[in-house]
Amino acid sequence: MGKPATTFSSDTPQIYARWQGHGLRGHAKVRAVWIAENVTEVAPPDYKVDEASAIVDSPNSLGHSRSLARRGLGAR
């Protein structure tokens, strides 16, 4: 994967979100939400693009990756 980024061009085909937990309680539920804060002319402010949840197996989870296609961002 590439370097972390916060800005993406309109022709970016996919964006990958990744989290990694440290010191989590046993069988903790982790919820990741992708919010498009300011994408004028594409979606309303603070638009929820996608979300995912997972139950972790260990306090120091190696993480979970999810491919987030930019589906639906062009339509309001």
Side-chain angles (χ1 to χ4, degrees):
M1 278 192 232
K3 295 179 181 180
T6 59
T7 304
F8 304 94
S9 67
S10 61
D11 63 348
T12 302
Q14 285 191 323
I15 299 170
Y16 296 86
R18 181 180 174 98
W19 62 264
Q20 186 166 357
H22 296 283
L24 302 170
R25 69 180 194 286
H27 302 289
K29 181 177 182 179
V30 176
R31 179 174 165 245
V33 181
W34 177 20
I35 303 291
E37 293 177 344
N38 184 11
V39 288
T40 56
E41 300 179 22
V42 178
D46 300 322
Y47 177 76
K48 181 170 78 171
V49 177
D50 202 0
E51 72 177 87
S53 297
I55 306 295
V56 298
D57 294 330
S58 68
N60 295 316
S61 175
L62 294 175
H64 173 78
S65 296
R66 179 172 169 85
S67 172
L68 301 169
R70 295 185 64 176
R71 67 185 190 286
L73 270 182
R76 284 189 181 200

